[in-house]
Amino acid sequence: MARESWTSRIGFILAAVGSAVGLGNIWRFPWMTAENGGSAFLVLYLGIVLAVGVPGLVAEFVIGRRAGKSPVGALESLSGSKHWGKVGLITVLAGLVLLSFYSVVGGWILRYFFASATGAYFDAPGAYFGSISYGAGAAGFHVLFLAITAGIVAGGIRGGIERATTVMMPIVILMLGALAVWAGGLSGAGEAYDFFLTFDAAYVQANALDILLSAAGQALFTLSVGAGTMITYASYIGEDRSLPADGSIIALLNTGVGVLAGFVVLPLLFSTPNVDPATSGPGALFVGVATAFGELPGGRLLALGFFAVVSLAALSSSISMLEIPVAYLVDEHGFERKTATAGLAAFVLVTGTVSAFSSEVFGILAGPVVDILLTTGLFAFVVFAAWVLGGDAVEEFTLGTRFSSGLGDAWRLLIGVVLPPFLLFTLFNGILGYLGWQAPVEYVAVAAIFVGLAVVTSVQRVASTERADNAA
Ligand code: PHE
């Protein structure tokens, strides 16, 4: 059976943008921005998207298109080593972990959508969010969200994913744009813009490490890198596309939507009495925005529109999470797409139900576990692209572009030498922070550089020995 592919360039871009744009932009980005000093966070986040996110995204595209396979098969066949296949399994795990909490948040969003029709949460937004966020109701809506996700994935690349995202993404962008214009008229808009856009150097200096870690985690999460999603999606595209160009467009659109969401959510938060944007946490979107909608004329209709948009954005991301393990079972174990989807959905039905009942499990999966998995995943991908694929990666990078190999070489140097220690630095700090251990940053930095270079040199040595063996 021939492997499926996207029908058009725009289909691929929209599907990848659909994966990138999701709750990460609309729920997590405004919350992170509010918690980390507004403009300070924005600037670091944009820098990391540019310097780490985009090159990392392109590395995943290079691996995916080169192999024409999902991550496990791609790493295994391109390297000729079963060990790399095992490294690839981390993406299957990442997909399942991601979906196990994302589907719960997706369930909250669906619930808010339905509750908007009656305005059920308008009177006591805080209490309402508290009463629905965990428990049987949350589990029920998680199952509903998961069922819709599975339905689309079962339909396959063209019939399901491409068709759904081609319709969803333009609607999402248009509606967010309209909401942002409307939010500009709110009483707190000026203060919100100031917080969001005026750079505060003193704040950055005082909180540099925290902002850096949050910004790095957010950059990976929002671009969907490190999970293998983008390897999987790129495995369905042709050689006539420019990977660096597509990657840049995708990152630009994704970042644009995140900033747009900031222009919607922050003015709402700043216009709401009794809400402190900096401490409103993961409930920021729900509580703050709900309070605002409750007080506005025509609030129910606006809320319906808003949560409809967020549901679409969440779905186009959740399908990309489920696609990772589905593509693995289809490509590597010969499963029927429908059977694989049903089996994996049944698995997430259980794990998601656990996190729908336990805020602790939810918090651990959504926080440290996902950060660790994505950072480790991206670390493996960039090392693989730069040192196992090596010159082939540069060739794949330039394929379908008008670039000479110079830009490709610079990119390879960046992902092969600069990114590995940087990613390890955030990984080590993240793990230490999670364990509650203290270590001077300089030591962590030295350890990251040392381990990073050790991994890079040994991977490079093994790869060149194998190349020599194959040539002999
Ligand atoms: N980028 C998605 C979002 O912002 C989340 C995601 C992460 C999707 C990793 C797939 C893989 O909501």
Side-chain angles (χ1 to χ4, degrees):
M1 190 178 71
R3 207 156 184 282
E4 276 187 286
S5 66
W6 307 106
T7 46
S8 62
R9 169 164 192 221
I10 199 77
F12 164 66
I13 290 185
L14 285 176
V17 171
S19 166
V21 174
L23 298 172
N25 308 61
I26 299 164
W27 163 68
R28 211 168 179 276
F29 177 75
W31 152 37
M32 287 283 137
T33 309
E35 198 172 279
N36 288 288
S39 57
F41 177 83
L42 181 65
V43 169
L44 269 178
Y45 161 81
L46 290 178
I48 296 176
V49 163
L50 216 80
V52 180
V54 176
L57 182 61
V58 175
E60 288 202 30
F61 285 169
V62 161
I63 296 172
R65 185 171 70 180
R66 190 84 178 173
K69 287 185 175 152
S70 47
V72 176
L75 295 191
E76 192 173 311
S77 69
L78 291 174
S79 67
S81 152
K82 283 246 179 275
H83 296 303
W84 274 108
K86 288 197 198 99
V87 172
L89 279 175
I90 192 184
T91 62
V92 173
L93 186 66
L96 295 172
V97 165
L98 279 162
L99 203 53
S100 302
F101 74 85
Y102 207 83
S103 178
V104 175
V105 186
W108 295 342
I109 302 276
L110 288 181
R111 179 151 196 171
Y112 268 79
F113 172 73
F114 291 117
S116 297
T118 60
Y121 55 83
F122 285 177
D123 291 335
Y128 183 84
F129 182 71
S131 70
I132 64 109
S133 43
Y134 301 101
F141 278 93
H142 138 68
V143 173
L144 177 63
F145 184 84
L146 182 64
I148 303 174
T149 303
I152 301 173
V153 172
I157 284 296
R158 284 187 188 167
I161 296 174
E162 184 169 343
R163 187 177 303 164
T165 51
T166 313
V167 180
M168 283 179 197
M169 284 328 298
I171 299 180
V172 169
I173 294 174
L174 281 178
M175 285 205 70
L176 272 180
L179 282 171
V181 171
W182 162 78
L186 295 174
S187 60
E191 205 190 330
Y193 294 158
D194 202 39
F195 173 74
F196 201 26
L197 302 175
T198 313
F199 187 65
D200 183 350
Y203 188 90
V204 178
Q205 240 161 17
N207 301 281
L209 184 66
D210 282 346
I211 310 176
L212 180 80
L213 294 182
S214 310
Q218 176 62 17
L220 301 199
F221 186 80
T222 191
L223 283 174
S224 306
V225 294
T229 297
M230 294 303 188
I231 295 186
T232 310
Y233 273 19
S235 72
Y236 304 112
I237 55 173
E239 299 198 332
D240 50 334
R241 322 288 164 72
S242 160
L243 298 180
D246 283 8
S248 306
I249 294 173
I250 290 159
L252 204 73
L253 281 171
N254 177 59
T255 309
V257 173
V259 174
L260 207 55
F263 278 114
V264 177
V265 178
L266 292 175
L268 281 170
L269 283 176
F270 275 89
S271 306
T272 310
N274 307 323
V275 167
D276 174 8
T279 57
S280 43
L285 173 72
F286 295 99
V287 181
V289 169
T291 309
F293 284 136
E295 286 167 4
L296 284 160
R300 285 184 196 184
L301 213 62
L302 283 170
L304 265 178
F306 182 76
F307 285 108
V309 166
V310 181
S311 304
L312 294 183
L315 276 171
S316 61
S317 298
S318 63
I319 56 183
S320 77
M321 295 172 183
L322 186 55
E323 179 65 19
I324 311 166
V326 166
Y328 165 69
L329 289 184
V330 171
D331 286 354
E332 300 305 310
H333 296 283
F335 277 84
E336 289 285 334
R337 173 169 278 273
K338 288 200 168 59
T339 319
T341 309
L344 290 161
F347 179 84
V348 177
L349 188 104
V350 176
T351 54
T353 299
V354 175
S355 59
F357 272 98
S358 159
S359 62
E360 252 164 57
V361 173
F362 176 91
I364 291 174
L365 292 183
V369 175
V370 80
D371 276 349
I372 290 171
L373 284 172
L374 295 186
T375 312
T376 312
L378 187 60
F379 174 77
F381 300 148
V382 291
V383 169
F384 185 89
W387 301 110
V388 178
L389 286 181
D392 290 355
V394 177
E395 186 189 301
E396 192 68 38
F397 178 99
T398 38
L399 211 68
T401 72
R402 266 180 255 127
F403 300 129
S404 63
S405 62
L407 187 70
D409 289 331
W411 164 76
R412 185 179 164 209
L413 206 66
L414 180 65
I415 64 163
V417 180
V418 183
L419 261 51
F422 175 80
L423 291 168
L424 286 183
F425 177 73
T426 61
L427 181 65
F428 292 167
N429 274 305
I431 295 175
L432 288 171
Y434 174 57
L435 296 175
W437 292 353
Q438 301 279 343
V441 227
E442 303 81 8
Y443 290 10
V444 182
V446 170
I449 293 173
F450 186 77
V451 176
L453 293 184
V455 171
V456 162
T457 30
S458 54
V459 165
Q460 194 252 350
R461 187 161 342 110
V462 172
S464 64
T465 327
E466 263 163 20
R467 246 190 310 262
D469 286 352
N470 290 344

